[in-house]
């Protein structure tokens, strides 16, 4: 289709047959090409640039810039078409771009000039700003058609220009007062009055100067800290944006590289496949040609037999291939069946192991719950007994039948030993003596001797040990009563 741009527009054409881009006022847009229209009329941008002088005094520079693409330079117009035309001229993107350039150059230039130089040389300051900004905008194909810098304005909280105006007014008023006073003081008191006013004015100016100087120093320090903070924040933001842009660019490059490699591999494979197909077609045509030629030359029995044998061989080969394929299919099915059996066995073992693990886990949880309950039970009993561990132990032993078990175990132990218990007593002594102490002593000795025979017999029955020969033989004529039943007395 044929496209025509308006007087304030240009056509940007890309696509087939165009290496980069093509700018034109009218042109044919062919199939495979894309056409975009962009406006070249300038736009007004209004800014309030905050800057700081060499004395670290902040101020606001209101300015209105009329900016548009440079139409008298084809190279600049191409830059504008590539970089700016995809965005709306009034969009936030373009406005931030222009504002960033203007603010940056204005702050750099203002930092190298004093406030007095900026205030008194507004025209030169304006020209310097325009020159610096234009150099930066050239790389985007933009041109400053017009710029209007308004009166410098104080930053809220820093009324430098206000104080400067008040100072000028005060100086004019004081000068007028001085002139009137000089006219009145002509005469005898003129010299002294002038001298007194001069001293007063000097003292006043010194005081005002000290006050303003102190205020300016404090304000300068505050603004210096503030500006450093803002610069640091701005640098961190820009570094973060640059890092983010670099990361996105690296990611896109990696994706594009991967797509290019995949496309190259696919193209190579497609070319190889096409070559193979063409070669196969050529060979098939050659074979058909040779076959037809042989048929035409040798229409005889030999050719028929040859073809018959070839067909038989092909059939035999086909049969063997099918048989091999059938065997291979059976082997694959057997392998699949074995794999399924193995997987089923593994699943069953895994389920059994999981079940055993679950049972062990539940058993452990039961033991933990029982131990917790017993702990609560013992703690409750101990609190009920007033913290007496001995009473708690006795209660537990009685409650669990420990004393009955001890008595039962001791009784079983004694029953297993099968003890022989002998009891004997002395009868009346047959020794008669006098009534003195010698008679009683002999009686006791006789009693001891009567006890020895039954004692030795009992030891022999209990242990199997015999007394030594010099003790004499055991007899049954001793005077004693003996029993082997522990229940008798």
């Amino acid at each position: 289709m044929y496209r025509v741009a308006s007087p304030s527009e240009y056509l940007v054409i890309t696509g087939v047959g165009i290496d980069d881009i093509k700018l034109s006022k009218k042109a044919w847009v062919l199939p495979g090409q894309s056409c975009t229209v962009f406006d070249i009329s300038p736009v007004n941008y209004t800014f309030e640039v905050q800057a700081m002088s060499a004395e670290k005094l902040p101020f606001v520079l209101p300015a209105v810039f009329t900016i548009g693409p440079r139409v008298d330079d084809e190279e600049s117009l191409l830059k504008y078409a590539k970089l700016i035309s995809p965005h709306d001229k009034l969009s936030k993107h373009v406005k931030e771009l222009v504002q960033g350039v203007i603010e940056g150059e204005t702050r750099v230039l203002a930092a190298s000039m004093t406030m007095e130089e900026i205030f008194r040389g507004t025209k030169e300051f304006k020209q310097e700003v325009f020159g610096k900004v234009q150099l930066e905008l050239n790389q985007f194909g933009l041109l400053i058609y017009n710029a209007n810098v308004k009166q410098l304005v104080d930053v809220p909280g820093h009324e430098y220009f206000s104080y400067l105006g008040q100072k000028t007014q005060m100086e004019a008023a004081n000068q007028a007062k001085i002139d009137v006073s000089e006219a009145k003081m002509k005469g005898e008191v003129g010299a002294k009055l002038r001298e007194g006013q001069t001293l007063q004015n000097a003292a006043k100016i010194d005081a005002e100067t000290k006050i303003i100087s102190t205020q300016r120093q404090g304000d300068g320090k505050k603004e210096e800290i503030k500006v450093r903070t803002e610069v640091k924040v701005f640098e961190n933001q820009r570094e973060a944006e640059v890092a983010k842009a670099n990361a996105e660019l690296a990611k896109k490059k990696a994706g594009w590289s991967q797509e290019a490699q995949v496309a190259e591999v696919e193209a190579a494979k497609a070319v190889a496949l096409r070559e193979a197909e063409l070669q196969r077609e050529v060979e098939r045509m050659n074979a058909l040609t040779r076959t037809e030629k042989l048929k035409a030359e040798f229409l005889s029995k030999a050719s028929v037999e040859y073809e018959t044998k070839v067909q038989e061989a092909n059939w035999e080969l086909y049969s063997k291939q099918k048989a091999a394929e059938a065997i291979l299919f059976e082997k694959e099915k057997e392998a699949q069946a074995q794999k399924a059996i193995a997987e089923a066995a593994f699943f069953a073992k895994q389920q059994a192991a999981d079940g055993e693990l679950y049972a062990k886990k539940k058993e452990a949880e039961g033991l933990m719950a029982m131990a917790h309950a017993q702990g609560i039970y013992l703690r409750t009993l101990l609190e009920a007994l007033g913290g007496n561990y001995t009473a708690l132990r006795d209660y537990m032993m009685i409650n669990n039948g420990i004393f009955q078990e001890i008595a039962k175990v001791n009784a079983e132990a004694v029953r297993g030993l099968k003890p022989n218990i002998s009891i004997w007593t002395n009868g009346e002594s047959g020794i008669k003596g006098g009534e003195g102490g010698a008679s009683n002593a002999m009686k006791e000795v006789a009693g001891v001797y009567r006890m020895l025979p039954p004692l030795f017999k009992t030891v022999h029955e209990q242990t199997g040990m015999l007394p030594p020969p010099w003790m004499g033989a055991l007899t049954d004529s001793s005077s004693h009563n003996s029993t082997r039943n522990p229940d008798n007395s």
Side-chain angles (χ1 to χ4, degrees):
M1 57 184 301
Y2 190 71
R3 298 290 300 272
V4 178
S6 64
S8 62
E9 293 179 345
Y10 263 93
L11 301 177
V12 181
I13 305 173
T14 59
V16 178
I18 300 174
D19 295 334
D20 190 6
I21 63 173
K22 177 183 177 182
L23 298 179
S24 179
K25 298 292 288 185
K26 54 184 177 180
W28 286 96
V29 181
L30 303 177
Q33 294 181 349
S34 176
C35 180
T36 304
V37 180
F38 69 91
D39 191 3
I40 60 174
S41 58
V43 179
N44 290 331
Y45 297 97
T46 303
F47 305 109
E48 288 188 355
V49 181
Q50 293 186 358
M52 184 174 293
S53 66
E55 302 98 343
K56 306 298 187 296
L57 298 176
F59 64 92
V60 176
L61 178 66
V64 179
F65 287 80
T66 304
I67 299 175
R70 186 188 293 271
V71 297
D72 57 350
D73 185 9
E74 184 177 358
E75 184 178 357
S76 299
L77 202 58
L78 288 173
K79 291 180 180 179
Y80 179 82
K82 293 179 181 179
L83 302 177
I84 306 299
S85 65
H87 305 278
D88 186 5
K89 291 185 294 184
L90 298 177
S91 65
K92 183 179 179 182
H93 174 78
V94 179
K95 186 175 181 180
E96 288 181 352
L97 174 64
V98 176
Q99 184 178 1
V101 173
I102 295 173
E103 289 183 350
E105 295 301 329
T106 303
R107 287 172 178 169
V108 171
L109 183 59
S112 63
M113 300 176 65
T114 63
M115 187 64 77
E116 190 69 23
E117 292 174 350
I118 297 173
F119 185 73
R120 296 188 181 276
T122 305
K123 184 177 180 180
E124 292 76 11
F125 179 72
K126 172 182 174 182
Q127 293 176 353
E128 289 288 339
V129 171
F130 294 165
K132 298 291 185 181
V133 173
Q134 184 60 61
L135 288 177
E136 294 295 329
L137 294 179
N138 286 337
Q139 59 184 337
F140 300 102
L142 294 173
L143 175 65
I144 301 177
Y145 286 89
N146 184 27
N148 182 18
V149 177
K150 299 181 181 179
Q151 184 64 36
L152 300 179
V153 181
D154 288 318
V155 176
H158 303 84
E159 290 76 14
Y160 176 79
F161 295 114
S162 177
Y163 291 149
L164 193 60
Q166 292 178 11
K167 180 182 178 182
T168 304
Q169 293 177 4
M170 291 298 294
E171 289 177 352
N174 291 333
Q175 187 63 39
K177 290 179 181 179
I178 291 171
D179 295 338
V180 173
S181 298
E182 288 177 352
K184 291 181 178 180
M185 289 187 298
K186 290 180 180 180
E188 296 178 356
V189 295
K192 293 183 179 180
L193 184 59
R194 179 63 182 271
E195 183 180 357
Q197 288 181 349
T198 302
L199 294 175
Q200 293 176 2
N201 291 332
K204 182 178 180 181
I205 291 172
D206 290 338
E208 291 178 354
T209 303
K210 290 181 180 180
I211 293 172
I212 294 174
S213 176
T214 303
Q215 292 177 349
R216 287 291 178 262
Q217 289 178 358
D219 295 341
K221 291 181 180 179
K222 291 180 182 179
E223 289 302 323
E224 182 179 0
I225 295 172
K226 181 179 179 182
V227 170
R228 287 180 180 176
T229 304
E230 292 178 353
V231 170
K232 188 63 177 178
V233 171
F234 180 76
E235 290 178 352
N236 293 337
Q237 291 177 352
R238 287 295 177 266
E239 289 178 0
E241 293 175 357
V242 171
K244 182 178 179 182
N246 291 334
E248 293 179 354
L249 180 59
K251 187 185 296 183
K252 290 182 179 180
K253 286 183 177 180
W256 294 336
S257 177
Q258 182 179 1
E259 292 177 358
Q261 292 177 359
V262 171
E264 290 178 359
V265 172
E266 290 179 351
K269 294 295 183 182
V271 171
L273 290 174
R274 185 58 179 168
E275 289 179 355
E277 291 177 356
L278 294 175
Q279 185 65 28
R280 184 179 61 183
E281 187 67 22
V282 170
E283 292 178 356
R284 188 177 67 83
M285 295 302 295
N286 291 335
L288 291 175
T289 303
R290 289 195 298 269
T291 303
E292 293 296 331
K293 184 177 180 180
L294 290 174
K295 287 181 179 180
E297 292 179 356
F298 305 100
L299 294 175
S300 61
K301 182 178 180 180
S303 63
V304 175
E305 291 178 357
Y306 173 75
E307 291 181 358
T308 303
K309 290 181 179 181
V310 169
Q311 293 296 330
E312 290 177 356
N314 291 336
W315 171 254
E316 185 177 356
L317 177 61
Y318 178 76
S319 300
K320 290 182 179 179
Q321 288 179 348
K322 289 299 180 182
E325 290 178 357
I327 295 172
L328 178 61
F329 180 76
E330 292 178 357
K331 294 295 184 180
E332 289 179 351
K333 290 298 181 182
E334 291 177 359
Q336 292 177 358
Q338 291 178 0
K339 181 179 179 182
I341 294 172
E343 290 178 352
F346 174 74
F347 181 76
K349 290 181 179 180
Q350 187 177 7
Q351 292 296 324
D354 293 340
E356 185 177 355
L357 176 62
Y358 182 76
K360 293 292 185 181
K361 183 177 179 181
K362 289 299 180 183
E363 184 178 355
E365 291 177 356
L367 293 175
M368 290 176 64
M370 184 180 294
H372 181 68
Q374 289 180 354
I376 296 174
Y377 173 66
L378 292 176
R379 191 183 304 111
T380 305
L381 288 177
L382 186 61
E383 292 176 355
L385 295 173
N388 191 342
Y389 290 96
T390 304
L392 176 63
R393 181 195 63 193
D394 295 341
Y395 173 77
M396 295 296 297
M397 294 181 68
I398 293 172
N399 190 34
N400 294 327
I402 300 299
F403 292 112
Q404 292 87 337
E405 290 294 330
I406 293 174
K408 183 177 179 181
V409 170
N410 291 335
E412 292 293 333
V414 173
R415 183 183 301 173
L417 293 175
K418 297 180 180 180
N420 294 325
I421 301 173
S422 299
I423 301 174
W424 65 86
T425 58
N426 292 328
E428 292 294 330
S429 175
I431 301 176
K432 296 180 180 181
E435 294 180 357
S439 178
N440 291 332
M442 294 303 294
K443 186 176 180 180
E444 294 295 330
V445 170
V448 171
Y449 273 91
R450 280 194 295 270
M451 290 173 56
L452 291 177
L455 178 60
F456 290 151
K457 185 175 182 181
T458 301
V459 171
H460 176 69
E461 291 177 353
Q462 295 289 338
T463 65
M465 296 177 61
L466 294 174
W470 57 270
M471 294 294 294
L474 298 175
T475 62
D476 293 335
S477 62
S478 299
S479 174
H480 70 281
N481 295 324
S482 176
T483 179
R484 296 185 180 184
N485 188 355
D487 296 331
N488 296 332
S489 62

